[in-house]
Amino acid sequence: MSKDRQNRRSFMGLTLSGIAGAMGVSRFGQTIVEAQAPAPQDPDLVVYNAKVYTVDTTLPRAEAFAVKNSRFVAVGSNADIRALIGRNTRTFDAQGMTIVPGFVDCHNHAGGDVLLYEVLVGNPFEVEFVTITSIIDKLKAKARQMPAGTWVEGYFFDDTKVKDKRELNVHDLDEVSVEHPVVVRHRGGHTSYYNSKALDMAGVTKDTKDVPGGTYDRDPSGALNGRVTDRARSVFEKIGKRQTYTADQQATRGRDGIAHISKMFVKYGLTSVHHEGGDLSAIQDVRARGELLHRVSYEANGRVLESMVTSGIQTGFGDEWIKFGATSEHTVDGSFSERTMALSQPYPGIKPAYTGNVTETQDDLNAWVERMHRAGIQVNCHANGDVAIDMYLKAFERAQKAFPRKDSRPKITHCTLINDDLVKRMAALDAIPACFTTYAYYNSDKFVFYGEELMKRSMAFRTMLDNGIHAAAGSDFSPGPFAALMGIQGMVTRTGWDGKTWGANQRVSVDEAIAINTLHGAYASKEEHIKGSITPGKLADYVVLADDPHTVNPEKIKDIQIVQTVVGGDIKYKA
């Protein structure tokens, strides 16, 4: 049985043994080679004539490397590495192209089935403006296929990527149908837009009061405008009919979705992705049929997470392709892109004063964090605003005091708006922020809602690095595109698609941005000993780029062609 075709039973019995190469990691994830076997003759692959950025401080630059049994076995000069070529060695002349370690996305919802089967009213991958008419027309076409009373749903709406220069509203969606409940989901995941039929079925009227952690938004006259945020959306879950599928159909959709998104990941240079929940069976089935092209850190929730707790399965259980990582994000507040994250000061320019949504009480958060921490599962919370980050840190500090664990690395998904006190506490805990990366380019049109003073403290990679924090990259797809090069460009320039620059004090260098997207990503899942840099003994995951992000116009980094994405020495994508 090959390593790519482990069945479900054998996966559950795998451990993390057999990792080659004795490695140590310093405070900043810098690789220190403690012991290396002599480079073997007759490697499986030799790559030469390359500009290799290793993200390994012992040898930051190289010209060539060798791979054997899915791992790097030697890194160095053209002459030294070519001398290893044997009769059965494959070779690749990079012709001066740039090679970096495979990119790691530390927060991704991996919704491949949505991409394949649902109505997409916006572009999931690039900046593209649409019209409200186009959204209505797509949903009308779907409504014609569905019986009355059945939900009609649209995905990937972005309120600042609309040619009409206004938000979608209830009247627009009433044009879709008066017989179907209609919802359009903002790609940010925290707000949705409903038609009158859906509001009526849910019993939501102009007199309905907002709920803790959610709002029913209104127009200037006080009438419902159809926009509903965060926890207020729960009333829609039990109304209307949903399209149903047989167990076989559902399994097929799940498998096809994972296979599809895996192809997209490697197309954009991702070799490891932290999956926020999802169908674990589908991921394993796709692997068994040889179509899982990227490595998965599976972040469990729901029944799977509960089974981990009750069965004693801890973070790190699995193998190099599918491994249990941190918990899925436990939501503490709202969204940055949809302007519902919890702030310690009111949102600028909003009347009446609004500070966002806290979606969890401190007591409930304390209890959940402590339970996960005691179970040996790396804790992960969604905390965007400074209020939510403070709540999570309080909960974790409390749990660590009650039950000390070494090297626990609490993960903070998003960790958008920071202050000096939060940074100091994060550094003390060795907390891992998985911050938005593509937002600096893709969502720059939303920064105006926060203003420059708040943006100086948002997605604060410079501040975090300067304080010894292992900041990692988290696209948050579907809310943000997962193109790593788009993320790197935004981190380096802090300039968006619209040419506007926000929070320039948080810029990082190209080398730092690459490290955030590679070695720090590996550190986030406690895998820096096996991935994240081009180092002998580590997994041979790397990306071949047509140009060097260090030397091209920084505003063009996102446009660099990915020539190859290689996982374990095997080409998974080729341009």
Side-chain angles (χ1 to χ4, degrees):
M1 182 182 296
S2 73
K3 65 179 182 300
D4 286 321
R5 296 184 179 275
Q6 303 285 354
N7 62 28
R8 215 167 290 159
R9 180 181 299 273
S10 65
F11 164 72
M12 296 306 295
L14 289 171
T15 67
L16 303 183
S17 61
I19 295 173
M23 300 292 166
V25 176
S26 76
R27 176 70 177 128
F28 292 92
Q30 299 170 348
T31 305
I32 304 166
V33 180
E34 295 175 351
Q36 287 185 12
Q41 298 296 319
D42 199 16
D44 300 326
L45 171 69
V46 161
V47 176
Y48 60 96
N49 284 343
K51 292 173 68 176
V52 183
Y53 292 91
T54 66
V55 195
D56 181 340
T57 56
T58 64
L59 183 67
R61 290 286 306 275
E63 298 174 319
F65 55 79
V67 175
K68 191 175 183 66
N69 295 330
S70 301
R71 292 177 180 268
F72 298 112
V73 291
V75 180
S77 68
N78 285 325
D80 288 343
I81 303 304
R82 293 191 69 177
L84 303 174
I85 295 174
R87 179 179 301 177
N88 299 313
T89 301
R90 293 178 288 117
T91 61
F92 175 64
D93 182 352
Q95 299 180 0
M97 289 187 288
T98 295
I99 297 179
V100 297
F103 298 126
V104 182
D105 188 342
C106 291
H107 183 68
N108 196 301
H109 294 273
D113 53 340
V114 171
L115 296 176
L116 284 178
Y117 298 113
E118 303 296 347
V119 178
L120 308 183
V121 300
N123 188 325
F125 306 112
E126 305 291 342
V127 174
E128 179 183 346
F129 280 69
V130 302
T131 64
I132 288 176
T133 297
S134 73
I135 295 172
I136 293 170
D137 289 345
K138 286 183 177 183
L139 294 173
K140 277 184 175 179
K142 181 68 173 180
R144 287 193 288 268
Q145 304 169 17
M146 309 298 291
T150 304
W151 279 99
V152 175
E153 301 175 279
Y155 293 81
F156 283 96
F157 175 68
D158 189 327
D159 65 299
T160 58
K161 307 294 188 299
V162 181
K163 291 180 180 179
D164 306 69
K165 296 183 180 180
R166 67 172 177 85
E167 286 224 47
L168 200 62
N169 62 46
V170 64
H171 307 297
D172 301 320
L173 298 184
D174 285 346
E175 291 187 41
V176 174
S177 177
V178 296
E179 298 180 340
H180 301 79
V182 178
V183 59
V184 171
R185 304 183 190 282
H186 195 290
R187 71 176 298 164
H190 289 253
T191 59
S192 300
Y193 303 79
Y194 298 90
N195 70 343
S196 295
K197 179 70 171 180
L199 294 168
D200 290 344
M201 292 175 70
V204 178
T205 72
K206 66 177 182 179
D207 297 320
T208 301
K209 296 185 182 299
D210 292 340
V211 301
T215 61
Y216 302 103
D217 290 2
R218 293 163 170 79
D219 66 21
S221 73
L224 294 168
N225 64 16
R227 182 177 186 261
V228 182
T229 72
D230 289 305
R231 285 196 164 187
R233 297 178 297 169
S234 62
V235 298
F236 298 94
E237 293 174 1
K238 296 181 181 179
I239 66 166
K241 301 173 185 176
R242 308 271 177 183
Q243 194 168 4
T244 59
Y245 306 96
T246 67
D248 286 344
Q249 289 173 328
Q250 191 65 40
T252 296
R253 288 166 63 92
R255 288 191 295 266
D256 290 350
I258 291 296
H260 176 72
I261 199 76
S262 190
K263 291 177 183 176
M264 299 302 296
F265 287 157
V266 295
K267 179 180 178 180
Y268 284 89
L270 299 178
T271 58
S272 292
V273 176
H274 295 202
H275 283 232
E276 295 304 297
D279 189 340
L280 185 57
S281 295
I283 296 171
Q284 293 174 77
D285 287 344
V286 170
R287 179 186 179 180
R289 68 189 197 188
E291 296 179 7
L292 186 65
L293 308 180
H294 69 286
R295 304 185 193 277
V296 175
S297 178
Y298 185 82
E299 300 193 335
N301 57 18
R303 290 184 302 164
V304 178
L305 181 58
E306 186 62 26
S307 295
M308 289 179 68
V309 174
T310 57
S311 301
I313 297 174
Q314 299 185 353
T315 292
F317 183 79
D319 68 359
E320 296 155 0
W321 283 92
I322 306 173
K323 184 178 296 185
F324 285 110
T327 69
S328 183
E329 59 175 335
H330 187 81
T331 304
V332 184
D333 72 340
S335 162
F336 172 85
S337 64
E338 298 153 279
R339 285 83 73 193
T340 67
M341 73 182 193
L343 305 182
S344 58
Q345 63 188 75
Y347 278 78
I350 294 183
K351 301 294 182 182
Y354 174 67
T355 55
N357 296 333
V358 172
T359 59
E360 181 89 329
T361 68
Q362 187 71 59
D363 287 345
D364 287 347
L365 181 60
N366 289 347
W368 184 84
V369 167
E370 181 175 340
R371 185 166 185 252
M372 295 303 116
H373 180 64
R374 284 180 177 272
I377 302 172
Q378 185 182 9
V379 184
N380 175 22
C381 282
H382 162 123
N384 259 308
D386 52 354
V387 169
I389 299 168
D390 175 64
M391 290 177 63
Y392 177 29
L393 293 179
K394 283 178 180 174
F396 195 85
E397 288 161 347
R398 175 184 175 276
Q400 181 73 333
K401 183 177 180 180
F403 193 84
R405 276 190 182 276
K406 294 182 178 179
D407 197 29
S408 52
R409 305 187 195 181
K411 185 176 178 182
I412 311 175
T413 290
H414 309 320
C415 198
T416 303
L417 180 66
I418 54 89
N419 57 45
D420 291 345
D421 176 66
L422 296 178
V423 169
K424 184 184 302 183
R425 291 159 65 194
M426 288 160 54
L429 291 171
D430 195 16
I432 311 297
C435 304
F436 298 118
T437 52
T438 57
Y439 272 31
Y441 177 83
Y442 177 86
N443 266 334
S444 59
D445 48 11
K446 296 180 177 64
F447 296 175
V448 67
F449 298 113
Y450 294 91
E452 175 66 8
E453 287 308 306
L454 290 184
M455 290 311 304
K456 286 180 178 179
R457 297 191 282 120
S458 295
M459 304 160 209
F461 286 105
R462 175 78 276 141
T463 297
M464 292 176 186
L465 294 185
D466 289 347
N467 283 273
I469 294 171
H470 295 82
S475 72
D476 197 27
F477 184 82
S478 58
F482 52 70
L485 291 174
M486 180 191 291
I488 289 171
Q489 176 175 315
M491 296 161 69
V492 169
T493 67
R494 295 285 289 203
T495 300
W497 63 267
D498 54 2
K500 296 179 180 178
T501 301
W502 297 85
N505 60 306
Q506 296 297 341
R507 286 171 174 155
V508 299
S509 70
V510 171
D511 277 338
E512 288 168 329
I514 291 173
I516 288 166
N517 282 269
T518 57
L519 188 59
H520 287 202
Y523 190 88
S525 56
K526 303 185 179 184
E527 295 180 288
E528 70 277 10
H529 55 294
I530 61 167
K531 65 172 71 167
S533 65
I534 297 175
T535 300
K538 291 193 179 185
L539 295 164
D541 300 348
Y542 60 91
V543 181
V544 181
L545 304 175
D547 289 299
D548 187 346
H550 297 79
T551 58
V552 300
N553 181 340
E555 303 291 344
K556 299 295 183 182
I557 291 174
K558 70 178 181 62
D559 300 320
I560 295 174
Q561 182 186 38
I562 292 177
V563 178
Q564 289 183 7
T565 300
V566 179
V567 184
D570 295 328
I571 297 172
K572 302 298 184 181
Y573 169 78
K574 187 174 183 180

